[in-house]
Every structure is written in structure tokens, then in C-alpha cells.
Amino acid sequence: MLFKVRNFISSRLNVKDVDQRIKDILGTLIHIVDQKQHLGLSEVGAQPITSFQRACATPWVEESDIYGRDADKQAVIDFLLSDEVDGDKLSVLPIVGMGGMGKTTLAQLVYKEVDDKVMEKPFNIKAWITVSEESDVLTLTKKIYEEVANSLSSTVDEAFKLQLKLKEFLNGKKVLLVLDDVWNVDHKRWCDLKSSFESTAHGSKIIVTTRSAKVASDLGTLPKHDLQIIPEEDCWKLFKKHAFGNVEPSVDRELEVIGRQIVQKCNGLPLAVKSLGSLLHSVQDIKDWKNVLNNDIWNLREDNILPALWLSYYYLPPYLKRCFAYCSIFPKDYTIDNKYLILWWMAQDLLQPHKTKTLEEVGEEYVKDLVSRSFFKYWRGCEHLITMHDLVNDLAMFASGECCLSLTDKSSDVLIKNARHISCLECNITDEKILKDLYENKVLRTLLYLEMHNVEHLRSMQFLRVLSFSPQIGIGVYDAPIKMELLNSICNLKLLRYLDLSYSGLEEIPDKIGTLYNLQTLLLRFCSRLTSLPDSIGNLKHLRYLDLSYSSIEKLPDTICQLHELHTLILYGCRKLTQLWINNDLINLRCLDISLTGVRELPRQMSKLENLQKLTKFVVGKDSGANIKELGKLNDLHGDFGIEGLENVVNVEDAWEANLIDKKHITALELEWNGDIGGSVEARKVLDGLQPHSDLKELCIYNYGGTTFSDWVGSPSFSCMKEVNLIDCKNCFMLPPLGQLLSLEKLRIMGLDKVVRIGDEFYSDDSVITKPFKSLKFLHFSRMEEWKEWAFVEAEDGGVFTNLKKLRLGDCPKLKGASCLPDYLPSLETLGIKDTSPDLVASLSD
């Protein structure tokens, strides 16, 4: 083929003509650039391109989005209470309404807020099931069983047996079940499903939300509750909340008139009102509001697409449009993990680079922006998981055209052959015709979750960039190892950028992995049998993200240092990994996670990894390893950070050169000495030099050998400190003045063998502190073998530990008498005493 192309070019074009043509094109481009200012054009980038692009707002809580539904809410609550006097043993109430009417939101509000205390017999079990288009009795029964029994999965594959198992579990229990978004469960199937609930207690309830009056008729034991459009004034209140936030806006009359006209066009649909309110959030320009009001899209009549939603999409910045349309690859009601979605966006080059932010951070902003615009919503309040409303999913599919496909057994051969991005996340494709069409797809860029026995033709998918065999949410874990034939097929996919073989039981990586020259992301998590990587890994010149979490790998190959584009290396849980040979050739490395590994020494010249932002721990070398002073140049470290092997610090000045005090982005710090705790004088001097910045929130000190702590430990300048842990500091005979940490909420002191008395020094160092431990909520002492006395000081408001909720004492055998405990703990909820003097427990009972 290449030979034919060359012949075609050489026979049709003259070299001189090509040269002149290129010059003409360049001249035209230069002219266009010169004219851009006159044409009012600007570069498209991360900067605003319309007045509608704005900073992301905090996502709205769904309960506060309900307006005009008081009567509907009361009607559903009355249904839940009705048969406390009389009624059917099991009652079913259908809530019916068109898409976007707020059926799910109403059901969620009642489900969360129903007060069982007002009922004579409260519900023993509450469960929420999203049904969507699934009507298979076995699948529905399995979903319900797993939810009510709090079981991850059921091994029963016969509907009848599973129904008996569910019926037995529900026997005699009062149940509240919500079946949300039911599409096509007919009367016969419903009778089969309902038989499992015949054993429930009197007063059990089922709420069904559906768009179909027929479904309501087939399932309901009561007349359906029709959800109507909300009144215009309530629509305006909802619109104002999303357009202006919770602050009452002071807008001119003209802007309010236009806003009310926009609301009228939403025809009382809460989803449409919310979407446009989010679109116009903080936009005060009357011209922009008029553009929305008068847009021709209001006259659009696409099937299942609300004009208001289409308008919201129309005003999205181009880069968000692409990312949103890509999400049509997910089936309806699918729960998406933000982390993996962002990685997939990255692999498809959908994220725009930013000068000061990582691509992951850019992706996180995209997600938050789409949430703030009501295209995504957080799943059950979890900000790392998102879902889309059915109508929003329809919009995404419409926007992507035939580019994205969520594969089902009804998908047409034309779509399968032509789609660039395909997922089979909720089905097991075994139909040979569908598989044949899939393997004939010559433009496929994304393939998410395919059963392993269906991948023998992978080598034909030469344009794949994203390939995942690991379902991220809600689907089981593989036990069987991936076969080497599969890996050989994968190794022919030279454009692959994202490869996820998580949970695969992988035993070996073939040398051909090095032929994936354009690979950017490689995840090999939970491959416990994987013990090594081939040297050919160094051929993956474009690799950016490498995750080997929980593998049994013992050593990284030297060729890992050839991955100059690598920015993230995750080795979390690789307990057999004891050495880490990386060098400053990894100039783009930003994240190195070696938590829970066996690494006991880091290589020298770590300071040359100047782009490093995340380093979970720094291990000080004894002879050949890294010196602690190399930390001095790594001032961009973020988040949690630990230093191990502090007993290897020979020169005290090296600790000062680590310059922790200038690392302002570290939020949690762990300092650990290993083995012999060493001389107390030297340890104290090292600790003096490791003073962190004053914005630190958490501090842990392990196995410290000094007799006293440095002055900075407990200093009131650490006004943000919320948690302190002092563990196994066996030479210390006196505690630092931790009472001065006014934000301290959690304190653990364990294994301080030489502390005999806790006195005034614990509360203050003679500084003026009106109320020590004013914020402390959790206090834990354990393994204090010599501790005999606990003295207290007077403070304002009658005591020191007035906010303490949990106090635990364990293995403090010499602490005796009630006088050793605080006598004024007004907020205490839990007191735990274990392995202490019997006299102490006896004195409390008195």
C-alpha cells in the first residue's frame, strides 16, 4: 500500500510545484494571522471564549432543588404511613411523569427524609434500585438481593432459586423498596418478581418511578401519582437559585423580565429550568440573556432532546463539548469514576494543556464544570463518582452522532463497524455476528471492557488508543490469568495509549510490549502474580502513566529510565519491591507513589527530579542511598509526605538543608526513625532541623529517640494542625505543649515508656493560652507503661477538654484512681479503658 501511495505522489506532482504550493499556503496562513485582529478573532484555549464560560460553582444539593413539590411530597409520605391503620400487606405506588419532571428527585427526598420514628413499626430494610431499561427478572432479583442483603454479588444464576433466597431473607421484615426509572417490566414479569416479597411484614412499601402509564398500571396496587409541571413562580425560584446562587439577586427589571420569559419556555420542567439557570449562572449581560431567549434552538424538535438542554450544550466551550459527547459511550444510569474518565479523555487528546496545571487537574476542572452546568451529577454525594440524567445521556448520544456507542445485542452492524468509541460495560457479547462486525471496525479508538474470550481478533484494531478489560464500577473481578496470546495481540496495537489489565491475574508481560510505541497509559493493578517487567518497556517512549499497584514485582528494569515522558509512577502496595533505580532522565516525573512498598533506599540525585509534586515517602540512605539534603530543591511537593530512615542522618546540617519549612504545599508529614533509635542528642538536633511550614495539618512522629521534643512540636504557630500522633518515642519523659494547637482535633500518644507524669507542660509552655485543647475531639493514650499521674490545669468555661467526644486508655497499668482522669467532660460520648489498673475501673464505677 505504501508503495502505491509513493508511486501516485511521484507520478502526479512535480517537486518544484510542491515547493511553490507550500510557500503559497504559508503566505495565506500568515495573511490570516495578520487579519485576526481586524476580524475580532482570538485564540481558542483555556481562557474564556464566551461570556457563558465561568468558574465552577459548588454542585447543588438535590434536596434544595425542589420547588413546588410540597403536596407531592406529602402525598408520598401519606402513602408510607397509610396502612399503619389499615391497608395491604405490600403496597405499590407508581410515580408517573415525563422525563425531566423530577420523579427521581422526589423519590430521593422522601427516601432520605422519611422519619421512621413517627411510624408505629418502622422499616427494617430500605433499598434503592435503579432499573432503567433492564427487564430481566433474574437481573432485577439479583440487584435487589445484593442491595438488601448488603452483598457484593450473588452466585445463584437461576431466577427461581434466587427468588427463594430473597424471600427467605425478607421473611417477616418490613421493607421500603424504591424501583427507579422502570421502563418495560410487564405484568407477568412483575408477578414473578413480586413473589419474593410475599414473606415481608405488613406495611411493606414499594415506590416505582416511571414514564409509562402502562408500567404504572401493571405494577401498582394503588392509583398512579401523576407528577405535573411545577407552577411558574416555583420555576422562577428554581431558576434564580441556579442563575444567581443562594444570594437574592439585585437585578434590574429588564433582566428579570427576560429571565421569566426564558422560564416560561421551559414549560414547567424542573430539569430544563435547572439546566438554563446553570447556563446563565453569574451572567449579568442582558445581551447574553436575550440571545438565549431568542435562539432558534427553541424551535428544534429532535426526539427526546429538550430544547433547553440543547441550548445548554450549544453554549458549552468546544473543549467541553468534545468531552461531554465522549460520555455517550456509557449506558444510561451508569456510574462513572472520574479518575478513569479523565485518563480516557487524556488518551484521546481531549484535554487542553495548561501552563501551571497538570492534565489531571485540567480534567478535574472539566468534570466540576460539567457538574455545575447540570450535565453531570454526583452519585449519592460522592464527588469522585458521577452519573447523567437519562435525557442528558440522550443529548450526549445526539451530540456524538455515530461516533460513540454503548454496545448491546441490538446494535446495528453499521454502527458497530463505524463507531470510534465503543463500550460493552453492561453486557457480555457472545453473538458471533456482533463480534465479527466489531473486529471489522477499522477506525476504533476506544474499547471498554470486553470479555477475555472475545479478543482473539484484537490485532486487527490498529487505531485503538484506549483498551480496558477492567470494569471500574459494579462488575466482578476476574480470577483467570490473561493468556499470553492475548498480550501478543495487544502488542500489535501500536497506537494504544491506555491499557488497563487490572484484576487480570497477569503472570508475565511479553517482550513485544515494547512495540506499543505510542502507549501513554499502562495500568497493571492487582496483578499479584506479576514479578517482573521486560526490558522492552523502555521502548514505550510516549508512556506517561504507569500503575503497577499490588503487583509482586521485585525490581524495575534499568530501561524504565528511558521513559522520558513518564509523569506518574504508581508502585503502591508492591511489598516485594526493595530497590528503586531511577535517575534524573525521568525529567517529567511528577508523581512517585511508593507507599506500602519494601523500598528501603532511594537513589542519589533525587533532587534533579525538579518537576516532582507527589512523593509519598523519602527514604534516607545509609551509605549509597539518597541524602536527606536532596529534599532541599524539591519545594513543589504536595499532599502527604513521609521521611523514613532518619537514623541514617549523619550530619545534622543535612536535616536543615532539607528545607521542610519552605515546602508550603505539604499537608501531612510523617517522620520515622527505624531500628535502633540512636542517641537522644543527635535525634533531637535532627528533629530541630526538620521543622515544617506552619500550615501543616497532620504530624506523625515514629520511634524518635530524643528525651524531649523540639520546640516547634506543639508551637501555637501551627494554627492549622488538626491531628498529631506520637508513636514509640521510648526515650521521651515529657510531652510537648500540644494544648497550644488551637485547631487540634485528634491526638494519639502511644508507646512513650518513660513518661511518668503528665503535667502543666502538656497544656502550655508558659505562653498565654486561655483554653488549651479547645478543639480536641479524640484523645488516645496506650502502651504508657510508667505513666502514674495525670495533672490538670484550670481554664476558662470550667475545663480543658470541653469538646472531647472520645477518650481511650489502653495498656496503662500504673495509672490508678479516678483523680487521674479529667472530671469535667461535658461532650464525652465514648470512654474506652483496656488493660489498665483494676483500681481505675473500680473508681469509675463509684
Side-chain angles (χ1 to χ4, degrees):
M1 182 64 184
L2 180 61
F3 177 76
K4 292 181 180 179
V5 172
R6 284 175 175 168
N7 284 342
F8 175 81
I9 293 176
S10 62
S11 63
R12 303 288 178 125
L13 297 176
N14 182 278
V15 175
K16 293 182 179 180
D17 293 338
V18 172
D19 183 61
Q20 184 59 46
R21 180 63 174 157
I22 291 175
K23 290 181 179 179
D24 292 341
I25 292 173
L26 290 175
T28 302
L29 291 174
I30 293 172
H31 175 73
I32 291 173
V33 171
D34 292 338
Q35 293 296 314
K36 74 174 184 177
Q37 297 296 334
H38 301 289
L39 296 173
L41 300 176
S42 60
E43 295 181 4
V44 176
Q47 301 302 318
I49 61 171
T50 74
S51 59
F52 296 102
Q53 184 179 352
R54 62 200 182 284
C56 298
T58 301
W60 309 114
V61 180
E62 291 186 10
E63 288 79 358
S64 65
D65 284 347
I66 297 181
Y67 294 86
R69 293 297 186 206
D70 292 342
D72 296 297
K73 174 184 173 183
Q74 190 58 50
V76 179
I77 290 179
D78 289 344
F79 158 70
L80 297 178
L81 299 175
S82 60
D83 60 1
E84 289 303 304
V85 178
D86 188 20
D88 296 329
K89 183 178 181 181
L90 176 66
S91 303
V92 183
L93 175 67
I95 301 176
V96 183
M98 65 177 295
M101 191 66 76
K103 303 180 296 297
T104 298
T105 302
L106 174 63
Q108 284 179 344
L109 180 65
V110 175
Y111 183 81
K112 293 177 181 178
E113 292 190 2
V114 61
D115 186 2
D116 290 344
K117 294 180 181 179
V118 304
M119 308 180 72
E120 183 179 343
K121 295 180 179 179
F123 294 109
N124 303 116
I125 294 176
K126 292 169 63 178
W128 182 288
I129 304 295
T130 301
V131 181
S132 192
E133 300 183 21
E134 180 58 66
S135 60
D136 178 76
V137 174
L138 174 61
T139 303
L140 284 178
T141 305
K142 184 174 292 189
K143 280 185 178 181
I144 295 171
Y145 178 78
E146 291 171 358
E147 182 71 17
V148 300
N150 196 25
S151 172
L152 293 178
S153 62
S154 174
T155 57
V156 180
D157 291 327
E158 295 182 25
F160 176 70
K161 291 182 179 179
L162 189 58
Q163 286 171 328
L164 289 178
K165 193 173 181 180
L166 177 60
K167 186 175 182 179
E168 180 181 351
F169 182 83
L170 297 176
N171 185 36
K173 298 174 183 176
K174 187 176 179 182
V175 178
L176 171 59
L177 174 66
V178 177
L179 297 177
D180 182 44
D181 200 16
V182 180
W183 282 73
N184 55 0
V185 178
D186 59 29
H187 183 69
K188 181 182 181 303
R189 289 174 177 171
W190 172 243
C191 290
D192 293 338
L193 183 65
K194 188 179 175 183
S195 64
S196 302
F197 294 87
E198 293 176 352
S199 63
T200 59
H202 178 84
S204 293
K205 304 288 187 180
I206 297 178
I207 297 175
V208 174
T209 70
T210 180
R211 302 184 196 181
S212 169
K214 182 180 184 304
V215 169
S217 175
D218 287 340
L219 274 59
T221 62
L222 296 173
K224 67 181 186 296
H225 181 85
D226 282 307
L227 209 55
Q228 303 297 327
I229 61 175
I230 60 177
E232 187 173 317
E233 191 58 33
D234 289 310
C235 285
W236 171 244
K237 292 178 182 178
L238 179 60
F239 178 85
K240 281 199 304 181
K241 177 181 182 294
H242 285 274
F244 301 101
N246 292 319
V247 179
E248 185 67 22
S250 55
V251 298
D252 59 42
R253 176 63 181 167
E254 186 177 1
L255 194 61
E256 180 174 346
V257 169
I258 297 172
R260 287 184 178 275
Q261 290 176 325
I262 292 174
V263 167
Q264 286 179 351
K265 289 195 172 188
C266 293
N267 296 322
L269 286 177
L271 180 63
V273 174
K274 180 180 176 181
S275 175
L276 286 183
S278 300
L279 168 66
L280 294 168
H281 177 64
S282 299
V283 176
Q284 300 294 317
D285 194 326
I286 293 176
K287 179 181 177 181
D288 292 328
W289 285 52
K290 286 183 177 179
N291 287 339
V292 172
L293 176 63
N294 299 318
N295 200 295
D296 291 339
I297 290 177
W298 287 110
N299 300 318
L300 186 68
R301 290 293 179 265
E302 293 292 341
D303 292 341
N304 299 323
I305 307 298
L306 293 177
L309 293 181
W310 184 243
L311 262 174
S312 297
Y313 173 78
Y314 176 80
Y315 284 110
L316 278 179
Y319 58 88
L320 282 184
K321 284 183 177 178
R322 295 191 295 268
C323 291
F324 171 68
Y326 183 84
C327 294
S328 64
I329 195 173
F330 302 108
K332 290 182 177 180
D333 298 311
Y334 192 77
T335 306
I336 309 166
D337 190 316
N338 297 350
K339 176 182 178 181
Y340 300 105
L341 175 61
I342 292 169
L343 287 175
W344 296 331
W345 281 345
M346 288 170 58
Q348 301 298 344
D349 292 329
L350 297 179
L351 302 181
Q352 293 188 333
H354 194 281
K355 291 182 179 179
T356 61
K357 298 176 182 177
T358 67
L359 282 178
E360 291 87 350
E361 291 172 335
V362 171
E364 289 172 2
E365 289 190 357
Y366 284 15
V367 170
K368 291 178 181 178
D369 203 348
L370 288 168
V371 169
S372 74
R373 297 169 186 265
S374 300
F375 288 95
F376 294 158
K377 58 183 179 180
Y378 292 124
W379 181 78
R380 297 188 179 181
C382 300
E383 293 193 4
H384 68 285
L385 300 174
I386 54 175
T387 61
M388 292 188 290
H389 189 282
D390 285 355
L391 294 183
V392 176
N393 190 289
D394 290 337
L395 174 62
M397 288 190 288
F398 181 76
S400 66
E402 297 181 355
C403 184
C404 300
L405 176 63
S406 177
L407 195 61
T408 68
D409 56 3
K410 297 179 182 179
S411 300
S412 72
D413 56 346
V414 175
L415 287 176
I416 297 174
K417 290 179 181 179
N418 295 326
R420 288 174 176 259
H421 310 285
I422 294 179
S423 74
C424 29
L425 294 164
E426 293 192 340
C427 59
N428 179 12
I429 302 301
T430 56
D431 187 280
E432 291 298 327
K433 175 64 170 61
I434 294 178
L435 290 173
K436 182 176 182 294
D437 294 335
L438 184 62
Y439 298 142
E440 291 179 359
N441 187 317
K442 302 302 181 184
V443 295
L444 195 61
R445 300 291 184 90
T446 301
L447 182 58
L448 299 183
Y449 178 44
L450 193 66
E451 289 286 352
M452 288 183 290
H453 57 268
N454 292 333
V455 294
E456 61 269 20
H457 299 295
L458 269 176
R459 64 180 67 244
S460 66
M461 302 178 186
Q462 291 297 315
F463 290 95
L464 266 182
R465 291 186 177 187
V466 174
L467 176 61
S468 175
F469 295 90
S470 171
Q472 308 302 337
I473 300 292
I475 303 179
V477 174
Y478 294 127
D479 293 322
I482 286 183
K483 296 180 180 179
M484 191 57 60
E485 301 92 281
L486 167 61
L487 290 172
N488 287 329
S489 296
I490 293 174
C491 288
N492 285 281
L493 306 177
K494 296 185 178 182
L495 296 178
L496 200 64
R497 296 186 178 185
Y498 178 104
L499 173 61
D500 188 350
L501 300 173
S502 309
Y503 311 106
S504 60
L506 191 65
E507 294 180 338
E508 183 181 358
I509 302 287
D511 287 336
K512 286 187 177 180
I513 195 76
T515 65
L516 304 177
Y517 299 115
N518 291 290
L519 190 70
Q520 290 191 5
T521 302
L522 176 63
L523 289 90
L524 301 171
R525 294 170 288 116
F526 301 103
C527 298
S528 59
R529 304 178 188 179
L530 182 65
T531 58
S532 64
L533 289 177
D535 289 340
S536 61
I537 192 78
N539 294 333
L540 305 181
K541 303 300 183 182
H542 296 280
L543 193 66
R544 298 180 183 179
Y545 189 106
L546 176 59
D547 188 341
L548 299 168
S549 299
Y550 292 107
S551 69
S552 296
I553 192 166
E554 299 175 1
K555 181 182 177 182
L556 293 176
D558 295 339
T559 54
I560 201 83
C561 297
Q562 298 174 15
L563 305 178
H564 303 308
E565 297 297 321
L566 192 68
H567 64 65
T568 300
L569 178 58
I570 309 294
L571 301 169
Y572 187 92
C574 299
R575 298 185 181 277
K576 294 185 178 181
L577 183 66
T578 58
Q579 294 180 324
L580 188 64
W581 297 116
I582 59 175
N583 59 32
N584 54 307
D585 289 338
L586 299 178
I587 56 176
N588 291 305
L589 194 65
R590 300 197 306 261
C591 174
L592 176 59
D593 189 343
I594 53 175
S595 305
L596 301 182
T597 66
V599 173
R600 290 293 173 262
E601 188 174 85
L602 290 181
R604 293 182 177 180
Q605 298 185 337
M606 288 289 294
S607 59
K608 294 188 177 181
L609 301 177
E610 295 181 355
N611 291 311
L612 208 58
Q613 297 179 5
K614 178 72 174 180
L615 177 62
T616 53
K617 68 177 180 179
F618 184 93
V619 185
V620 182
K622 187 172 184 179
D623 297 316
S624 59
N627 189 300
I628 192 173
K629 65 182 180 181
E630 295 203 37
L631 285 173
K633 295 182 179 180
L634 302 179
N635 285 330
D636 203 26
L637 295 178
H638 285 61
D640 298 352
F641 176 65
I643 305 178
E644 294 183 8
L646 286 170
E647 72 280 0
N648 294 326
V649 177
V650 178
N651 188 347
V652 173
E653 293 300 320
D654 293 345
W656 288 94
E657 290 188 38
N659 200 26
L660 292 188
I661 198 169
D662 285 338
K663 301 183 188 336
K664 301 184 183 300
H665 302 296
I666 293 178
T667 56
L669 176 65
E670 290 188 3
L671 302 175
E672 183 174 355
W673 284 255
N674 297 316
D676 186 359
I677 58 179
S680 60
V681 176
E682 291 77 9
R684 169 63 190 259
K685 291 180 179 179
V686 170
L687 186 60
D688 288 344
L690 295 177
Q691 179 176 345
H693 67 92
S694 58
D695 291 334
L696 196 71
K697 295 181 180 179
E698 297 181 19
L699 174 67
C700 300
I701 300 179
Y702 296 94
N703 210 31
Y704 168 62
T707 56
T708 59
F709 288 92
S710 299
D711 293 340
W712 64 263
V713 180
S715 169
S717 62
F718 289 85
S719 58
C720 300
M721 190 78 74
K722 292 185 177 295
E723 181 174 345
V724 172
N725 297 281
L726 305 177
I727 314 294
D728 291 333
C729 304
K730 298 184 181 300
N731 287 341
C732 286
F733 65 87
M734 184 172 66
L735 295 181
L738 300 174
Q740 300 179 128
L741 302 175
L742 300 184
S743 297
L744 188 65
E745 296 180 359
K746 294 183 179 180
L747 175 59
R748 294 181 179 88
I749 299 176
M750 307 169 67
L752 273 67
D753 295 345
K754 293 189 177 181
V755 171
V756 177
R757 182 180 186 273
I758 295 178
D760 295 350
E761 77 287 345
F762 185 46
Y763 305 95
S764 173
D765 62 353
D766 297 329
S767 300
V768 179
I769 302 296
T770 57
K771 189 175 182 179
F773 296 111
K774 62 180 296 185
S775 301
L776 194 65
K777 297 178 181 178
F778 177 86
L779 178 58
H780 185 189
F781 290 100
S782 70
R783 293 187 283 110
M784 307 283 286
E785 296 182 359
E786 300 297 325
W787 185 26
K788 299 178 181 179
E789 182 181 354
W790 188 0
F792 306 100
V793 298
E794 294 184 1
E796 293 182 356
D797 302 328
V800 176
F801 301 105
T802 54
N803 288 312
L804 192 67
K805 294 184 177 181
K806 294 183 179 180
L807 174 61
R808 294 181 179 177
L809 301 172
D811 197 10
C812 303
K814 296 185 179 181
L815 190 65
K816 301 179 180 181
S819 61
C820 292
L821 296 178
D823 58 359
Y824 183 66
L825 300 173
S827 302
L828 194 66
E829 298 175 354
T830 303
L831 175 62
I833 298 178
K834 181 180 180 182
D835 296 331
T836 61
S837 169
D839 295 340
L840 179 61
V841 178
S843 64
L844 289 174
S845 62
D846 294 337

